[in-house]
Amino acid sequence: MPFYPAHDGTRLAYHVSGDGDPLICLPGGPMQDSAYLGDLGGLPAHRRLILMDPRGTGDSDKPGDPGTYRCDRLVADVEALREHLGLDRIDLLGHSAGANLAVLYAARHPHRVARLLLIAPSTKAVDLEPAPQARLEAARLRAGEPWFPEAFAALERIQAGEATAETWAAVDPFVFGRWDEAAREFLALCDRHRNGEAAAVFGAQGAYDPAAIRAALAGLGAPVLLVAGEFDLNTIPAVAAEYAAIFPDAELVVQQGVGHFPWHEDAAPFAATVAAFLARTR
């Protein structure tokens, strides 16, 4: 198990698989360890995966200062990992909430990013949210599913400001292309590996300055890949397209038939998309 020291002395862990040029991967959650990423659909056949356990999760130590769980302060942990690995520039992948950390790193250290990959990205860092009606229209694509009536009613209640633990649980099927026992088990795995205390701090006030981040990303020289799931209600494809438009060199791929975890639901096309992007020469 490799470890490295953060700039504040916290011991952080990462997991390595595969050979070749490294691809640093930041998990979502927020503040979930990297176990749920697995092998990202077989990417070790193409790259050496470096899966980071954020501080306070997985095999990484908890910090002395819980305030360091905030997303903007975690940028220093990514930079410490780059330094530890002895890399001049990095290929950086962020999934879901981890994409917020990835773009904050790119905004602060643009010359250290060779390629940026945002997978089913959260859009909090750039303040992009679909209109409520757009999300409802995206949800109606699943109207033929047996779970749809209950899930859609819960979504409407959330949109009306009536969010509860029960309504949030009821909309879980919208996160997957197939809502079955495998999806339920995968979601339970994710929940077990999440640090709730850290998650509450991750997006706290001061974590993001969307105008400044957008301005920095508009000047990013690195190529960017965004992968959105056709049925992902967290980041609907229309919003992913708006996100891609922020960057000067971005490619959006909407993977068909999947939700928020495209490598888990349909590994082969996901791995092919990522491998092709990483093979691009600049």
Side-chain angles (χ1 to χ4, degrees):
M1 174 67 59
F3 296 93
Y4 71 100
H7 293 154
D8 66 356
T10 305
R11 191 180 73 151
L12 304 178
Y14 60 98
H15 306 260
V16 182
S17 60
D19 298 305
D21 293 334
L23 173 63
I24 294 177
C25 304
L26 309 179
M31 299 310 290
Q32 198 166 297
D33 70 33
S34 61
Y36 81 100
L37 294 175
D39 69 354
L40 282 169
L43 284 183
H46 307 278
R47 282 298 189 97
R48 177 161 56 100
L49 295 189
I50 309 291
L51 305 182
M52 178 181 172
D53 281 349
R55 55 178 55 216
T57 74
D59 294 299
S60 291
D61 290 347
K62 292 184 176 181
D65 176 8
T68 60
Y69 289 136
R70 204 173 71 177
C71 186
D72 59 319
R73 299 183 69 179
L74 293 173
V75 170
D77 291 351
V78 181
E79 177 64 358
L81 178 56
R82 181 197 65 79
E83 293 170 349
H84 170 77
L85 295 172
L87 301 172
D88 181 58
R89 297 196 303 160
I90 58 175
D91 291 335
L92 184 62
L93 179 152
H95 171 248
S96 190
N100 292 322
L101 177 54
V103 297
L104 261 63
Y105 181 86
R108 193 177 301 175
H109 302 284
H111 301 299
R112 296 299 187 184
V113 178
R115 296 173 184 83
L116 181 64
L117 300 88
L118 306 177
I119 312 303
S122 166
T123 55
K124 299 291 187 185
V126 293
D127 192 27
L128 266 180
E129 287 291 332
Q133 190 59 36
R135 185 166 268 139
L136 291 173
E137 289 174 2
R140 288 191 180 97
L141 296 174
R142 315 299 299 280
E145 303 280 1
W147 46 261
F148 177 81
E150 179 183 356
F152 190 78
L155 178 62
E156 288 184 307
R157 290 198 295 274
I158 291 171
Q159 300 272 45
E162 302 172 16
T164 65
E166 290 73 21
T167 54
W168 281 118
V171 299
D172 282 343
F174 285 122
V175 178
F176 293 88
R178 295 182 305 278
W179 183 240
D180 52 18
E181 189 57 33
R184 293 183 184 90
E185 290 177 359
F186 184 77
L187 199 59
L189 166 72
C190 292
D191 289 341
R192 289 196 301 272
H193 288 256
R194 185 169 179 259
N195 182 331
E197 175 196 8
V201 178
F202 182 83
Q205 185 174 3
Y208 309 125
D209 181 347
I213 295 167
R214 282 170 172 257
L217 298 179
L220 186 67
V224 181
L225 172 69
L226 291 92
V227 177
E230 178 188 12
F231 296 129
D232 183 11
L233 218 60
N234 280 4
T235 307
I236 65 174
V239 170
E242 291 183 59
Y243 204 167
I246 293 174
F247 300 94
D249 180 8
E251 172 188 358
L252 170 64
V253 174
V254 178
Q255 187 169 328
Q256 300 300 297
V258 303
H260 197 57
F261 307 94
W263 72 92
H264 173 74
E265 294 196 90
D266 200 355
F270 175 81
T273 293
V274 172
F277 172 76
L278 291 172
R280 280 178 55 178
T281 57
R282 299 186 60 209

